[in-house]
């Protein structure tokens, strides 16, 4: 067993699910590779090395051409009535870009960009913003304000309002429900998660440009029978908004030089109460783990030689601070109004 694998196993209990998830998904690499498919020139007829169709007993050139011209079915004809999907509603706004999952009524990912200037700005006022449904999403797939009422969960920002103070428009953008997921309130959204968001903002004191992608995960858990299953709560009336089991953040801290280096960090946190004494590094996972768990690919165009590990370049630790009580009260009431 490699040292890397041992390290993941040793961190599993402390990471409250993050390292355990890494172990689970890393086993995928051990599966046998599927042999490549045989190239086809016509349905069910393999191609010859030199191209064309190999001679087959009882098959003439004219019969092959007839097969090519005559199609007994037309599956794509369905599209004349409309494309069924799935459709990931993409929203491009001043503060963020997001992709929405109509099945879970949660975003798949939400991307933001912060800089020393944007973080220092104070133009936006969250007291002038209000939670709103996103009318760009078809009504039957939309998350609703009523879905959160009485649920016991906060409307948890994926891009925090505190990251969008550079204009009121940007601040308002963060209050669309397409930027929300049900989050545990006290002990997570109003505590450890807030400190994590503050850590991201503090990165701008070292890096001139920080890009952050945040989103929900629905991770498997091993049941007593030894089998892995995915189970999550659904809120709303009718129940249609999924409660994520975990959340991820992928952080790209840029050095500001064209073609320069990017410090990359990936973190997975459980949607649960987390003690503020827990070290942030315990939630750090390889980027590939987040990609496998989310189905999202992040850095396909960033060469490996331009990447650095964030937690080797800077101190990955939260600073526990007492946030404004009025903010916490608003957040606390969000699932009950």
């Amino acid at each position: 067993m490699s040292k890397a694998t041992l390290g993941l196993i040793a961190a599993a209990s402390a990471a409250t699910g993050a390292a355990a998830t890494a172990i689970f998904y890393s086993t995928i690499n051990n599966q046998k590779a599927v042999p490549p498919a045989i190239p086809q020139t016509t349905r069910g007829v393999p191609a010859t090395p030199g191209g064309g169709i190999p001679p087959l007993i009882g098959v003439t050139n004219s019969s092959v051409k007839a097969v090519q011209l005559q199609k007994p079915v037309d599956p794509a004809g369905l599209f004349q009535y409309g494309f069924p999907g799935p459709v990931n509603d993409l929203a491009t706004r001043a503060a963020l870009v997001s992709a929405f999952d109509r099945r879970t009524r949660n975003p798949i990912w939400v991307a933001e960009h912060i800089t020393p200037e944007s973080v220092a700005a104070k133009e936006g006022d969250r007291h002038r913003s209000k939670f709103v449904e996103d009318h760009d999403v078809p009504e039957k797939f939309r998350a609703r304000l009523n879905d959160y009422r009485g649920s016991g969960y906060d409307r948890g920002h994926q891009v925090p309002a505190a990251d969008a103070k550079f204009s009121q428009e940007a601040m308002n953008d963060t209050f669309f429900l397409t930027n929300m997921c049900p989050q545990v309130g006290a002990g997570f959204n109003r505590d450890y998660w807030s400190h994590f968001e503050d850590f991201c903002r503090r990165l701008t004191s070292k890096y001139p440009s920080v890009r952050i992608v945040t989103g929900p995960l629905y991770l498997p858990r091993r049941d007593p029978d030894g089998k892995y299953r995915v189970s999550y709560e659904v809120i709303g009336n009718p129940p249609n908004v999924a409660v994520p089991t975990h959340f991820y953040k992928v952080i790209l801290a840029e050095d500001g030089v064209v073609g320069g280096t990017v410090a990359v960090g990936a973190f997975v946190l459980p949607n649960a109460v987390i003690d503020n004494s827990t070290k942030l590094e315990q939630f750090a996972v390889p980027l590939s783990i987040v990609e496998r768990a989310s189905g999202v690919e992040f850095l396909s165009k960033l060469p490996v030689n331009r990447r650095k590990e964030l937690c080797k370049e800077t101190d990955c630790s939260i600073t526990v601070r007492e946030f404004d009580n009025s903010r916490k009260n608003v957040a606390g009431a969000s699932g009950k109004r």
Side-chain angles (χ1 to χ4, degrees), residues 147-156 181-185 189-190 232-235 241 243-244 271 331-337:
D147 290 330
Y148 284 84
R149 290 193 176 101
S151 70
Y153 291 98
D154 284 1
R155 292 168 293 204
C181 292
Q183 287 187 325
V184 170
N189 181 45
R190 296 173 241 161
Y232 53 84
E233 185 180 352
V234 182
I235 63 172
V241 179
V243 179
N271 188 12
S334 65
K336 300 177 181 179
R337 291 187 296 172

Side-chain angles (χ1 to χ4, degrees), residues 240-252:
N240 55 192
V241 179
V243 179
T245 63
H246 294 72
F247 290 93
Y248 70 83
K249 278 188 183 292
V250 173
I251 302 171
L252 312 176

Side-chain angles (χ1 to χ4, degrees), residues 105-220:
R105 273 71 172 178
N106 285 324
I108 303 170
W109 53 263
V110 188
E112 61 172 313
H113 181 215
I114 58 175
T115 65
E117 295 76 20
S118 71
V119 170
K122 296 182 180 179
E123 297 299 322
D125 181 358
R126 70 175 294 129
H127 295 294
R128 293 168 57 192
S129 300
K130 63 179 181 179
F131 293 95
V132 292
E133 298 174 10
D134 195 333
H135 292 273
D136 288 338
V137 176
E139 185 176 3
K140 58 187 173 184
F141 301 124
R142 202 180 294 163
R144 299 178 175 279
L145 294 171
N146 282 338
D147 290 330
Y148 284 84
R149 290 193 176 101
S151 70
Y153 291 98
D154 284 1
R155 292 168 293 204
H157 286 70
Q158 301 303 280
V159 170
D163 289 4
K165 294 181 179 180
F166 55 90
S167 74
Q168 189 60 47
E169 177 190 5
M171 178 72 70
N172 293 344
D173 285 347
T174 68
F175 281 81
F176 281 101
L177 290 190
T178 43
N179 183 46
M180 304 291 160
C181 292
Q183 287 187 325
V184 170
F188 185 65
N189 181 45
R190 296 173 241 161
D191 292 284
Y192 199 94
W193 185 254
S194 291
H195 304 317
F196 186 21
E197 293 170 335
D198 176 65
F199 160 78
C200 295
R201 286 189 289 274
R202 286 189 287 110
L203 287 174
T204 59
S205 65
K206 179 176 180 178
Y207 300 95
S209 174
V210 179
R211 303 184 187 278
I212 308 163
V213 185
T214 306
L217 294 173
Y218 312 88
L219 299 183

Side-chain angles (χ1 to χ4, degrees), residues 14 28 46 55 59 61 63 99 104 120 146 151 159 216 234 244 250 273 276 281 288 290 309-310 316 330:
I28 297 175
V59 178
N61 288 338
S63 64
T104 63
N146 282 338
S151 70
V159 170
V234 182
V250 173
V273 174
N276 282 332
E281 282 191 275
S288 61
V290 176
E309 292 185 34
L310 180 67
C316 285
V330 168

Side-chain angles (χ1 to χ4, degrees), residues 1-17:
M1 185 177 294
S2 68
K3 291 183 179 179
T5 303
L6 286 172
L8 284 174
I9 294 174
S13 59
T16 323

